[in-house]
Amino acid sequence: AASDVYKRQGQRNTADQEIIDKAKHLYMKVNGVSEEDAYAYIRRRSMNESSSITATARHLLSELANI
């Protein structure tokens, strides 16, 4: 549920959270998905790539900026 997403995100520092939020919102806009789906995508991708969610969000912002 959305409240669970916010609880997990609440454990991050503000700078990291801003990066994740930017990537999440841009992914939502480009792909027409919900906030929960966008966060799940970033989280799943970070696990698959063995990187932090913040690092994955940075990479995603870079990729989407080139579209």
Side-chain angles (χ1 to χ4, degrees):
S3 61
D4 294 333
V5 170
Y6 294 122
K7 285 178 190 174
R8 285 191 302 269
Q9 292 176 351
Q11 298 170 1
R12 291 185 185 78
N13 72 44
T14 304
D16 286 351
Q17 190 59 51
E18 287 177 7
I19 292 165
I20 294 165
D21 286 344
K22 284 179 186 178
K24 183 173 54 177
H25 290 290
L26 187 54
Y27 186 83
M28 289 166 58
K29 182 179 178 181
V30 169
N31 294 286
V33 299
S34 70
E35 185 173 1
E36 286 182 20
D37 288 344
Y39 182 74
Y41 170 79
I42 295 169
R43 187 169 163 245
R44 185 172 53 254
R45 183 171 160 176
S46 72
M47 288 188 286
N48 290 342
E49 296 175 355
S50 298
S51 66
S52 71
I53 292 178
T54 305
T56 300
R58 282 190 184 107
H59 290 145
L60 185 58
L61 281 169
S62 243
E63 291 168 10
L64 295 176
N66 295 323
I67 292 179

